[in-house]
Amino acid sequence: MRTAGILDFGAGASRWTGKRAKGCLGQGSSIVRQCCLAAGLEVEDLHVAWRKVDVLMVGLFWWEHLYDLIGLLAMHGIEPLRSRRRSAPLVFVGGQLPSYNPGPFREIADLACIGDGEEAGPAALRILLAGGSPHDCLGIPGIYVSDADNCAEWQQVEDISSTVRWPFHNRVSEAGTSGVRKMEIFERRLELARGCRRKCSFCGVGWTKKYRELPTMEACKAIRGTPGAVKGFAPDPAAHSGWPQIQAAYRAAGKFNQARDISTRVILQHGFGTSHVYTTGIDGLSERLRAALHKPLTEDELASVFEIASAHMGSLGVYQILDLPGESDEDYVGWFSTLARIRLHERPPSKRYHGPPGGFFVFASLNAFSPTPHTPLQWEGVHVEVDLSARYNRALEALGPMEGRLLRHKILGRPHGPASRLLESAVLRGEPDLTPFYLSVAAQRPKLTTTAQIFELARRLGLENQLRSTTEAKPMDRPLPWECRVRPLFGRDTLLAARVAYHRRLTA
């Protein structure tokens, strides 16, 4: 009898720390496994105990996970190159990373699920467990078969109620020194919507996923019927058509939404909820950049966001994207000048906030722009030579001390450095011919700390030009490599028009 197992990579959230070693399935892989079980297909959770299986299913999210996958296969004695694997397992990948661009996986994975996996995953697995080959899965919508190098359509499952049918909880699974595994469950996740109506120019979520909502009554019933904390999440929860009823369900159950993300639009219109920990996406350093991204937020409105927050709590987390196309030093000046002009509300010390009266913290999570496939900015280049952290700190220091130091600025997350940005670009925008490079990086990644070292590795492999091309701006007069393997939600004419609009708004 043929067997299947599933795992994924990444960090598991815990109530004590932001990151912890992965010890159990994440939400996406857990849902796919539950769908397979419901279809009568046995799938082992390989985080619980590793075992040899005939079909190895792997959920991949971030760019690092291609290198992690190669390392995992080698660690368990599995040949990473599919052409050299003479025995089990077949490697079946899914998740955001291969959905954007399955090209880098062609020589490693046997097949990939493109987009939502609730239907395509079990359909392909049924064929594989019955003794069929990856080629036999070609007729399944959303399945990319490496040997055929076909073009698969990004799947958009209409029913997103998986977190209702199979409640998923944030949890940590650890094995103590005695080897006994302990599972701690502390927060239910409830997917309120998939996709996003707001079409920010850089964002893969808004441009690859059709917007779908969990029915309001189902969401409210799950909130009322769940003991403990419930995180009702979506790219923009407040955009849900039943958001007022969902909020009322939280209040009636004596809970508040554990999801910390909140949009600036909601802050300006409705303020904050009962939580005292929130993060909002600013994404563009200046009013000019935000307008270009299709996230219009004026300097006055941004100042109001922080002023409202300072009246409600002692800090606000913000997401910022650095090195957006067209960004200049003046955009950094605009961001810090806006912070300097904020009129903070006086706050006495409290149990929740231990700073000086009137003090307020901005916790900035800084991200480096990456031209994500199937978005309007997919044709842009990557400036891997720029140290974004240093540029940001220079702008902060040039502004000088903020008056009275009542507003404190802290960097919660730093952007990827040049070396990481280069490795990311190689995966997101790479092609199968870079496979020797991926294998070499996976074998010696801790030693590759500079772009010079990485380019030298590629040069020795005869792949320097191929690697450098992943960082360069792409021509708009011919199909991109990932467009030949994935058929996305929006066609290239729509994306090109949105790109033109971005650059037009930059200079408006």
Side-chain angles (χ1 to χ4, degrees), residues 1-4 50-56 73 76-82 84-91 110 128:
M1 180 178 177
R2 294 171 67 85
T3 58
W50 175 266
R51 56 171 293 193
K52 184 178 179 180
V53 293
D54 296 295
V55 182
L56 176 61
L73 294 175
H76 289 289
I78 301 170
E79 169 58 53
L81 288 174
R82 64 180 178 85
R84 295 182 183 175
R85 279 198 294 269
R86 303 306 179 193
S87 60
L90 292 170
V91 178
D110 295 279
L128 299 178

Side-chain angles (χ1 to χ4, degrees), residues 192-193 197 211 213 232-244 246-247 257 261-267 269-270:
L192 299 178
R197 288 194 175 105
Y211 184 76
E213 292 183 348
F233 71 96
D236 185 0
H240 194 290
S241 59
W243 183 240
I246 292 172
Q247 286 183 306
N257 189 0
D261 287 350
I262 186 171
S263 73
T264 54
R265 175 176 56 83
V266 171
I267 296 171
Q269 293 178 355
H270 306 290

Side-chain angles (χ1 to χ4, degrees), residues 110-262:
D110 295 279
L111 67 169
C113 178
I114 307 301
D116 296 340
E118 286 97 326
E119 295 174 358
L125 184 61
R126 183 178 300 280
I127 291 174
L128 299 178
L129 290 181
S133 70
H135 226 273
D136 296 326
C137 300
L138 268 176
I140 300 173
I143 295 297
Y144 169 82
V145 178
S146 297
D147 189 51
D149 201 21
N150 60 302
C151 185
E153 183 174 359
W154 188 294
Q155 289 303 285
Q156 312 283 347
V157 174
E158 292 298 332
D159 181 3
I160 66 163
S161 61
S162 297
T163 55
V164 174
R165 296 198 304 277
W166 302 296
F168 179 85
H169 292 77
N170 277 333
R171 59 208 189 278
V172 174
S173 177
E174 295 179 310
T177 55
S178 64
V180 176
R181 183 169 291 277
K182 177 183 177 183
M183 177 77 74
E184 177 154 4
I185 295 174
F186 57 91
E187 178 184 77
R188 179 177 179 180
R189 291 174 62 87
L190 186 65
E191 187 178 25
L192 299 178
R194 193 173 298 182
C196 184
R197 288 194 175 105
R198 186 184 294 274
K199 295 292 184 288
C200 301
S201 306
F202 65 88
C203 182
V205 173
W207 290 96
T208 60
K209 298 182 180 182
K210 183 172 66 173
Y211 184 76
R212 291 144 289 169
E213 292 183 348
L214 180 67
T216 302
M217 291 302 101
E218 287 190 31
C220 294
K221 183 179 179 180
I223 293 167
R224 292 192 298 265
T226 299
V230 181
K231 175 182 285 188
F233 71 96
D236 185 0
H240 194 290
S241 59
W243 183 240
Q245 296 95 307
I246 292 172
Q247 286 183 306
Y250 273 108
R251 290 192 296 269
K255 309 174 189 288
F256 66 89
N257 189 0
Q258 293 291 106
R260 296 179 178 182
D261 287 350
I262 186 171

